[in-house]
Amino acid sequence: MACLKIVIPPFTHVLMPPLGPAALVAYLRNKYADVEVLDLNVSLLKMLPKSVRNSRDYAQIADHAARLCDKIFRRWAENPDADIEQLNALIDQILSGNPHIVGFSYYFTNFLLFPLASRVKEEDPELKIVVGGPTATFSYREILEGSFGVDFVVLGEGEIPLSQLYRVLVEDGDIRSVDGIAYRDGDGKIIAKDVTLIDDLNSLPIPDFEGFSLKDYFLMRVSRGRSTFLPLETSRGCVFNCAYCQERILWRTYREKRPERVVEELEHVKKKYGAKGVWFWDSLLNARPGRLERICDAIRSSGVNVEWGGSISIANVSINTVGKLYDAGCRFLQIGMESASTEVLRSMRKPVDVEKAALLIKKLSDAGIWVHIFFMVGFPTERWEDFEESLNFLIGNADYIDSISVSPFSPAENTPIVLNPQTFNISDLRRLVIRTKKGNIPCGFSFSSPHVDEVEVERRLQVMVELAEELGILIGEFHPLFYMAGQEYEGSSLSK
C-alpha cells in the first residue's frame, strides 16, 4: 500500500514519462518508501479504439485522447453526479491500494484533474488531496475556492513542500510548519506560504522512472521496446525576463547542475533504463554563456553514448562551437525566436539577434542537428508588416529549418503583459474561466489591441502554417523527438 500516490491526470502527452513527477518521486522515495506514481495518460490510451492506440501517427492518438478527455469533462461539468464509465475507471485506479494522500499534477491541459479530485474526495472524505504543478501555482486561489475536494496546493517547486506536507499529515503535525503551500485554515481563510527553492540542484536524487509503464509510451512503443527515451533537466529557471513568459516567475531564480552531474544522470538512465535518447526540459540549456559547451566537453570526455536535445537561446550560443554539439550527442535543438521582427522582439523583451539566428540555424543544420523554431503570432504590438518579417525569415531559411511550432499569443497569469497591459497596446484584457457547478476554473485571457484580436491571431497562425507546409517544413513541437527516435512519421522522411 502506498501512503502517497502521485497522479498525472490526462491529457498532457504520452511520448515519454513526465519529468516533474519522476523528480518528485525520487526525492520522496529517498526519504519515504511508500510512494507510488500513476500516469493516467497511459490509462486513458487503453480506452481508445485499438486501431488508434496502436497507431504510429502520434497526432491521431493525441487528438482522440484530447477529445475523449473533453467529452468526459463536459459531462461532469454539466452534471457532477453523472455516471461516467471512463471517469469511474480512472478513479478506481487512483483509489486502488487505499492511499492516504493523493497528489495531482496540474499542467494547463489536464482539466480532468477537477472531476477526478472531486469524485475521489466524495469516495473517501478522509483522504487528503494535494495539487501541484505550474498551473496550480498560478491558480491556487480558484482551486481552493471551488468545491473540487482539494485540501492543499503546492506552490512552485514541489520537492520540499510536498516532503514536509507528507511528514505533517502522516505524523499529525502542525500544518503551519509547512512552507510553499496554500490551504484553507480553520476559519476558511486561504493561506499561501512563501515558495521554497532548492539551492543546490546537484543535491537532488536522479529522477526515478520506476513505476512508470515505459513500454506504453509512444516513442518506446514505436521502437518495439528496442529504445527508451526519457526527460531530464540540467537547470531550473531562466535568466531572461520575456514579457509573455512565466518561467522566471515560476522558478524565481536560475540554478544549474554541474556538467559532471549531467553526465552522471545520462550514464544512470543509460545503464538503468537503456536510454537511447534524452529530452532536456530546461527553459534554456545555455542560459549562461559557455555552459552548453562545458556540458558537451564533459559528455565527450565521459564517452557516454546517449543522444539528446533541448532548447537554447540565440543570445548565448557561440557559432564557432556548433560542431562540438553533434560530437557530444546533440541531435536536435529548439530555438524560441517567436518573431523575426526586431521591433516585436524588443517589445517582447526577448534578446534575439535575427541575423545571428539565420547564421546559427544554417550552422546547426550543416552539422546534422535537427532545427526546430518556435514562432508566436499575434503579439499585441505585432503589425502586419512585422508578421511579414517572420514569414520572410521562414522563406529565406527554409532549407535549414526542419520543423516549427506556431503558437497564437495568449496572455499568461502574472506576466508583465497581464500586470501592465497598456504598456503593450492591449486595450481589452479579460480573464476567462470555465464555469462548472463545483466552481470556476481559470483558462487564460482574451484580449485585443490596435493591431490584433483573436480573429486576426488565428488568421496569421493559419497563414504561417500554410506557408510552412508549402516550404516542406514540418509543423509540431514533437518532430525533433521523432527524428531522434529514427522513425518514419506518417510518410514524411525524417532523415537529415
Side-chain angles (χ1 to χ4, degrees):
M1 180 193 76
C3 183
L4 168 63
K5 184 176 287 190
I6 295 177
V7 178
I8 304 100
F11 185 70
T12 51
H13 71 78
V14 286
L15 288 165
M16 58 177 67
L19 176 61
L24 280 178
V25 166
Y27 189 86
L28 291 163
R29 282 177 178 163
N30 199 40
K31 296 176 176 291
Y32 315 104
D34 48 354
V35 179
E36 185 180 328
V37 65
L38 174 64
D39 190 349
L40 292 180
N41 290 281
V42 171
S43 302
L44 188 86
L45 286 188
K46 297 176 182 178
M47 299 178 182
L48 301 179
K50 185 176 180 179
S51 61
V52 175
R53 67 174 182 265
N54 291 337
S55 172
R56 293 172 66 85
D57 180 357
Y58 183 74
Q60 180 189 29
I61 296 171
D63 179 65
H64 275 76
R67 284 195 280 120
L68 176 57
C69 285
D70 185 63
K71 179 181 177 182
I72 296 171
F73 178 83
R74 287 179 181 274
R75 284 194 62 192
W76 170 84
E78 293 169 359
N79 179 9
D81 299 320
D83 185 15
I84 306 170
E85 180 182 356
Q86 299 95 330
L87 184 61
N88 294 339
L90 296 176
I91 290 168
D92 287 344
Q93 291 187 54
I94 295 171
L95 293 175
S96 174
N98 300 312
H100 296 161
I101 309 165
V102 172
F104 289 99
S105 176
Y106 184 21
Y107 190 82
F108 297 116
T109 56
N110 48 1
F111 288 135
L112 277 196
L113 153 71
F114 297 97
L116 288 169
S118 61
R119 286 284 186 90
V120 165
K121 193 70 167 184
E122 290 167 8
E123 291 283 337
D124 185 356
E126 298 302 313
L127 189 151
K128 297 300 181 183
I129 295 182
V130 185
V131 176
T135 308
T137 298
F138 294 112
S139 56
Y140 71 87
R141 187 167 295 278
E142 291 85 353
I143 293 171
L144 293 171
E145 286 175 345
S147 300
F148 302 118
V150 177
D151 298 293
F152 307 97
V153 177
V154 171
L155 307 175
E157 290 181 355
E159 286 94 344
I160 293 175
L162 190 55
S163 176
Q164 292 179 351
L165 183 60
Y166 178 101
R167 175 182 50 78
V168 164
L169 293 177
V170 169
E171 299 175 2
D172 196 25
D174 187 349
I175 197 65
R176 293 173 298 180
S177 67
V178 180
D179 298 319
I181 64 170
Y183 61 96
R184 285 185 178 274
D185 66 11
D187 298 322
K189 180 183 177 182
I190 294 177
I191 306 297
K193 306 290 288 293
D194 287 341
V195 171
T196 57
L197 299 176
I198 294 171
D199 294 327
D200 182 11
L201 299 185
N202 299 290
S203 67
L204 291 172
I206 296 173
D208 187 348
F209 297 99
E210 291 294 325
F212 289 94
S213 183
L214 297 182
K215 65 181 177 60
D216 291 322
Y217 288 93
F218 180 80
L219 291 177
M220 279 68 95
R221 180 175 62 78
V222 295
S223 72
R224 295 181 174 85
R226 293 190 299 272
S227 301
T228 301
F229 300 87
L230 296 172
L232 291 174
E233 64 180 1
T234 79
S235 65
R236 292 182 182 179
C238 187
V239 296
F240 301 115
N241 192 24
C242 299
Y244 56 84
C245 185
Q246 292 178 315
E247 289 290 292
R248 185 77 171 264
I249 306 161
L250 177 66
W251 297 108
R252 299 293 181 94
T253 184
Y254 173 75
R255 290 145 295 150
E256 60 188 38
K257 296 177 181 178
R258 297 188 306 271
E260 295 77 17
R261 170 56 189 261
V262 175
V263 168
E264 180 187 348
E265 295 196 18
L266 289 174
E267 291 175 335
H268 175 83
V269 297
K270 175 77 173 179
K271 181 178 180 180
K272 185 169 185 177
Y273 307 106
K276 173 191 174 183
V278 163
W279 183 6
F280 287 119
W281 273 60
D282 305 44
S283 303
L284 294 172
L285 282 170
N286 64 337
R288 301 287 189 197
R291 180 169 188 268
L292 183 54
E293 289 82 354
R294 289 190 291 274
I295 290 175
C296 288
D297 289 340
I299 292 174
R300 293 170 65 195
S301 296
S302 73
V304 61
N305 183 24
V306 176
E307 296 179 348
W308 53 271
S311 297
I312 63 169
S313 164
I314 294 168
N316 289 337
V317 68
S318 171
I319 300 292
N320 297 325
T321 58
V322 165
K324 184 182 293 187
L325 297 171
Y326 189 89
D327 292 343
C330 179
R331 294 297 178 266
F332 75 85
L333 286 173
Q334 301 163 309
I335 302 171
M337 277 198 64
E338 314 305 351
S339 174
S341 163
T342 301
E343 289 301 316
V344 172
L345 290 167
R346 184 180 295 115
S347 182
M348 288 179 171
R349 304 176 185 174
K350 191 168 186 67
V352 172
D353 181 323
V354 178
E355 290 185 5
K356 181 180 178 181
L359 178 59
L360 173 64
I361 287 166
K362 183 180 186 306
K363 288 279 190 179
L364 290 171
S365 182
D366 289 346
I369 295 172
W370 186 278
V371 176
H372 182 90
I373 307 294
F374 289 102
F375 283 102
M376 179 190 296
V377 299
F379 194 76
T381 62
E382 182 184 73
R383 302 163 300 175
W384 179 260
E385 51 265 41
D386 296 317
F387 176 59
E388 285 184 321
E389 290 189 54
S390 294
L391 298 179
N392 291 333
F393 183 90
L394 201 57
I395 294 169
N397 296 279
D399 290 343
Y400 314 114
I401 299 173
D402 298 289
S403 57
I404 65 170
S405 296
V406 189
S407 303
F409 167 74
S410 178
E413 191 71 64
N414 286 13
T415 58
I417 284 179
V418 168
L419 297 177
N420 298 287
Q422 66 284 351
T423 305
F424 300 91
N425 286 346
I426 292 180
S427 55
D428 184 19
L429 182 69
R430 288 174 291 172
R431 192 181 301 273
L432 302 176
V433 298
I434 299 172
R435 301 188 186 280
T436 77
K437 293 183 179 180
K438 293 285 188 177
N440 295 334
I441 302 170
C443 59
F445 296 83
S446 67
F447 80 99
S448 63
S449 80
H451 303 300
V452 290
D453 56 19
E454 274 94 354
V455 174
E456 177 61 16
V457 169
E458 288 299 320
R459 184 173 81 91
R460 294 184 188 183
L461 186 149
Q462 190 60 37
V463 168
M464 181 168 278
V465 166
E466 291 175 358
L467 175 62
E469 291 174 342
E470 291 175 11
L471 295 170
I473 298 172
L474 295 170
I475 301 165
E477 67 175 307
F478 297 131
H479 281 294
L481 294 171
F482 303 142
Y483 166 64
M484 187 169 68
Q487 300 300 318
E488 294 290 324
Y489 185 65
E490 280 304 283
S492 299
S493 175
L494 298 185
S495 60
K496 289 283 286 185

